């Protein structure tokens, strides 16, 4: 079963625009929601993460918004740059440390 | 600092052959994971381990086996390879606990023909 659903599957944004990727989770035992960034030919790397006791976390141009009641969270990339072009994965994990990923979003930033 | 090391990087198998994908980490992490990533698809959890001697199934365990005899190593065994197992395989390790981070290997690209 897919415990974390991610959309859209692909996204094209103009340089300087805002990129938004959405995720929804089913497992209420999840208490940690990271986002990973993957460049071609590489393994994913942690970008930013949030716990459900806060509604927003910002690191530079990257912001996570979290809605616990709706079981949804999203990644916003402000002032998107060509170097942000990559595949982004949301994920969830809980006490059992079973790390489950969404389907991924291929982001392309056009110059 | 090597982090998570996967071998081999590439492999072509014939249908019915078996092989072991190796994964080693030098960060003393308790938690280790195996994922497969199909083209244009997400990361699907095959097996994971919360410590030496303890393993559990993920979302897609059929056709695979794992063992965890040491903290450092977490090999993935493919028995009777099938074309459906053509994929990129990633191993990851994680400390666990609050604000944890998973570290991934570079991946193994496996083709079954």
């Amino acid at each position: 079963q897919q415990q974390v659903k991610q959309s859209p599957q692909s996204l094209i944004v103009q340089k300087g625009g805002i990129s938004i990727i959405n995720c929804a989770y089913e497992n209420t035992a999840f208490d940690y929601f990271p986002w990973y960034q993957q460049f071609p030919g590489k393994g994913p790397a942690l970008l930013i993460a949030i716990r459900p006791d806060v509604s927003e976390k910002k690191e530079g141009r990257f912001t996570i918004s979290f809605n616990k009641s709706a079981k949804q969270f999203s990644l916003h990339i402000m002032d998107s740059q060509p170097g942000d072009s990559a595949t982004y994965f949301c994920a969830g994990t809980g006490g059992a440390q079973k790390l489950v990923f969404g389907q991924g979003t291929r982001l392309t930033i056009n110059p | 600092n090597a982090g998570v090391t996967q071998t081999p990087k590439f492999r072509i198998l014939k249908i019915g052959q078996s092989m072991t994908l190796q994964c080693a980490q030098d960060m003393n992490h308790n938690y280790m994971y195996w994922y497969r990533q199909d083209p244009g698809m997400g990361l699907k959890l095959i097996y994971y381990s919360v410590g030496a001697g303890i393993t559990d199934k993920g979302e897609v365990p059929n056709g695979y086996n794992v063992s965890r005899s040491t903290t450092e190593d977490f090999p993935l065994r493919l028995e009777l390879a099938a074309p459906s197992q053509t994929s990129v395989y990633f191993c990851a390790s994680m400390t666990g606990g609050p604000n944890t981070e998973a570290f991934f290997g570079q991946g193994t690209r496996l083709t079954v023909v």
Side-chain angles (χ1 to χ4, degrees):
Chain A
Q1 72 283 16
Q2 185 65 47
Q3 295 190 34
V4 180
K5 295 183 179 180
Q6 183 174 345
S7 63
Q9 191 170 358
S10 63
L11 179 63
I12 300 174
V13 175
Q14 292 300 117
K15 179 182 175 182
I18 302 173
S19 304
I20 302 174
I21 304 170
N22 301 299
C23 285
Y25 65 98
E26 300 170 359
N27 191 338
T28 55
F30 285 166
D31 61 2
Y32 185 67
F33 299 89
W35 284 87
Y36 283 77
Q37 181 187 53
Q38 183 183 32
F39 293 105
K42 303 292 186 181
L46 180 66
L47 182 65
I48 186 173
I50 196 169
R51 292 200 169 272
D53 52 348
V54 298
S55 60
E56 185 175 282
K57 182 174 182 180
K58 183 176 181 179
E59 291 184 0
R61 296 184 294 108
F62 300 91
T63 300
I64 302 177
S65 297
F66 193 89
N67 185 330
K68 187 174 181 178
S69 61
K71 294 191 287 185
Q72 295 175 345
F73 58 110
S74 59
L75 176 69
H76 292 64
I77 306 175
M78 311 300 288
D79 187 26
S80 300
Q81 299 297 312
D84 297 330
S85 296
T87 299
Y88 292 81
F89 294 96
C90 60
T93 186
Q97 304 296 339
K98 183 178 179 180
L99 183 60
V100 180
F101 286 85
Q103 298 94 322
T105 297
R106 179 171 292 182
L107 175 64
T108 302
I109 308 300
N110 284 334
Chain B
N1 198 357
V4 179
T5 303
Q6 288 184 239
T7 56
K9 287 186 171 53
F10 304 93
R11 183 71 186 268
I12 298 175
L13 273 183
K14 293 185 178 179
I15 294 171
Q17 286 185 322
S18 300
M19 76 164 294
T20 299
L21 281 65
Q22 301 291 343
C23 176
Q25 53 97 3
D26 61 359
M27 297 172 283
N28 201 34
H29 287 170
N30 285 325
Y31 303 94
M32 295 189 75
Y33 306 84
W34 274 106
Y35 295 91
R36 60 176 288 171
Q37 184 175 28
D38 300 326
M41 302 293 288
L43 295 158
K44 293 185 178 179
L45 182 62
I46 304 171
Y47 272 95
Y48 69 108
S49 169
V50 300
I54 306 170
T55 62
D56 205 350
K57 296 178 180 179
E59 302 166 272
V60 289
N62 292 342
Y64 307 93
N65 277 300
V66 294
S67 60
R68 183 96 182 271
S69 57
T70 67
T71 299
E72 294 78 19
D73 300 299
F74 190 40
L76 178 72
R77 178 82 177 162
L78 278 72
E79 303 283 1
L80 298 174
S84 61
Q85 293 178 304
T86 294
S87 189
V88 179
Y89 291 83
F90 286 100
C91 177
S93 72
M94 193 165 78
T95 55
N99 303 319
T100 188
E101 176 178 355
F103 293 86
F104 283 79
Q106 293 286 337
T108 295
R109 184 175 295 275
L110 175 67
T111 302
V112 181
V113 295

